[in-house]
Amino acid sequence: MQDDAPAASSHLNNSTETRISIFLEEDGSATVEVDYRFEAGSDDWNELESDVEDNPDAYAAREQADWEQDIEEAQNRTDREMNVSNTTVTTSTSSATPQDLGHVTFTFEWSSFANVVLNQIEAGDALAGWFTPTEGTTLQIIPPDGYVIEEADPEPSGSSEESVLWNGAETEFLEDQPMIVMTEDSETANTSDGATEGPSLSWLVIVATLVVLAAVGVGIGAAAWWIRRGPGSGSGSRFGSGSSTDSQSRPPTNGAAGAPMEGSSTAASGSSPRGNGNGSDSGSNSPPPELLSNEERVLKLLESSGGRIKQQQVVSELEWTEAKTSQVVGGLREDDEIDVFRIGRENVLALPDEVESEQ
């Protein structure tokens, strides 16, 4: 593409600022805008503007080829097949202080940019390891309508209710950065089609069954099971009491990176899901927590909870971040080690045998 590039294409490298905006879709794809900015009226801008308007297809083809080379690294890291398509280019000017700006803006579609698990979108891994904004470059990621930002890493240079932004002059991405976790807004989830009605009906059937069991004198243990594992309205919600249900209000929250809780104590009861003795089923024959893989920790927590647990409880029990929990849960689900379904606005994890027994 370099040999066929328009004569003035090298002027793109002389932009005073480059802004990359990534607009996410619910299916994990993204629309990307790359805005090269120049001082309007300069010789470079005048020549470039004229050249782009005369050769838009050549400019679009060159930009797409450059990004296609970049996403090879993203595919290797994420194991998701990606492609760049429908690249277009436009020129424009805007009023700014102290100098009006000229814009050369490329727009293209990036498939499989983010990882989607039920009502949660995790984005950034497609950029991790190879991309970091340099001085004069900003990166902005915008969630789909109806999603709230639960976590952003590293801490954004600037944020609003609808996006996170990193400034290259202030930011350096580490190996696994950037990372953003977005969850469907509770109001959107509650007004979706009948996807949540099935699980809700199942819980009503369980309640009715427990009432019958209690009537014949064997419902005490079952009621305790319900209290421990039911979908109550307490503090287990991943949104918390301060989350907005307005689709226009989506402030990002920067959760500190958590570490697995190794060797820490839990409740004195022998039924502690992460206990290593004291008469529970995970007694002295169980390996210590630090020798278990992340996947084994989740499975052990599931087993000790009777085969079913809310994803938010995994975050709390193991003291992990939302992002780490989502990655581990997603891997287990892909390997058919667990099933994941929604009750209201929450994800619930279950061992396959537990789901089959209900059916």
Side-chain angles (χ1 to χ4, degrees), residues 9-330:
S9 61
S10 61
H11 291 329
L12 287 173
N13 299 326
N14 298 328
S15 61
T16 58
E17 183 182 2
T18 303
R19 293 197 175 188
I20 302 173
S21 301
I22 300 177
F23 300 86
L24 294 174
E25 302 293 340
E26 290 188 45
D27 63 357
S29 62
T31 298
V32 181
E33 288 186 358
V34 184
D35 180 10
Y36 297 93
R37 300 185 171 193
F38 302 83
E39 291 186 3
S42 66
D43 291 340
D44 278 354
W45 167 247
N46 291 334
E47 182 180 359
L48 179 59
E49 180 184 30
S50 176
D51 206 32
V52 171
E53 291 176 354
D54 290 341
N55 304 281
D57 292 342
Y59 274 91
R62 181 186 181 186
E63 185 76 7
Q64 178 165 317
D66 288 344
W67 282 94
E68 285 173 345
Q69 292 179 357
D70 292 333
I71 69 169
E72 290 182 7
E73 175 68 18
Q75 291 183 120
N76 293 335
R77 289 181 62 88
T78 64
D79 200 28
R80 296 195 302 272
E81 185 175 351
M82 304 175 178
N83 67 77
V84 172
S85 61
N86 301 325
T87 304
T88 60
V89 61
T90 60
T91 62
S92 61
T93 58
S94 64
S95 298
T97 302
Q99 174 70 47
D100 289 349
L101 297 177
H103 305 262
V104 177
T105 305
F106 294 92
T107 304
F108 59 86
E109 306 297 325
W110 185 334
S111 67
S112 300
F113 177 84
N115 184 44
V116 181
V117 179
L118 296 178
N119 64 331
Q120 190 170 79
I121 300 175
E122 185 176 296
D125 58 346
L127 301 175
W130 67 271
F131 175 86
T132 192
T134 57
E135 186 170 359
T137 301
T138 59
L139 171 66
Q140 184 177 30
I141 298 183
I142 301 94
D145 290 341
Y147 279 74
V148 292
I149 300 172
E150 296 283 349
E151 182 178 351
D153 185 37
E155 183 176 355
S157 305
S159 61
S160 70
E161 295 181 344
E162 299 179 347
S163 69
V164 293
L165 179 144
W166 289 280
N167 190 325
E170 306 169 2
T171 306
E172 181 179 355
F173 291 157
L174 301 181
E175 181 68 17
D176 295 325
Q177 296 173 341
M179 179 60 65
I180 305 176
V181 177
M182 294 149 284
T183 308
E184 189 176 9
D185 184 274
S186 59
E187 184 174 287
T188 301
N190 291 336
T191 57
S192 62
D193 58 18
T196 63
E197 293 180 4
S200 298
L201 181 59
S202 297
W203 284 110
L204 292 176
V205 172
I206 293 173
V207 172
T209 302
L210 292 178
V211 171
V212 174
L213 291 175
V216 296
V218 295
I220 298 177
W225 175 87
W226 169 258
I227 293 172
R228 185 175 71 252
R229 295 165 56 202
S233 58
S235 59
S237 168
R238 72 180 69 219
F239 302 99
S241 59
S243 295
S244 170
T245 58
D246 187 343
S247 62
Q248 299 301 316
S249 179
R250 292 172 282 186
T253 57
N254 304 318
M261 188 172 181
E262 300 180 356
S264 61
S265 62
T266 57
S269 169
S271 62
S272 169
R274 288 158 48 212
N276 57 2
N278 300 329
S280 69
D281 290 340
S282 58
S284 58
N285 292 331
S286 300
E290 59 267 21
L291 297 183
L292 297 176
S293 67
N294 292 333
E295 291 74 13
E296 288 172 332
R297 291 186 179 205
V298 174
L299 291 174
K300 184 174 181 179
L301 192 56
L302 258 171
E303 291 171 357
S304 64
S305 299
R308 181 172 296 190
I309 192 172
K310 295 179 182 179
Q311 183 168 320
Q312 187 61 34
Q313 188 176 343
V314 176
V315 174
S316 175
E317 290 285 341
L318 299 183
E319 294 189 350
W320 288 352
T321 63
E322 295 277 359
K324 179 175 181 179
T325 304
S326 176
Q327 288 178 332
V328 176
V329 168

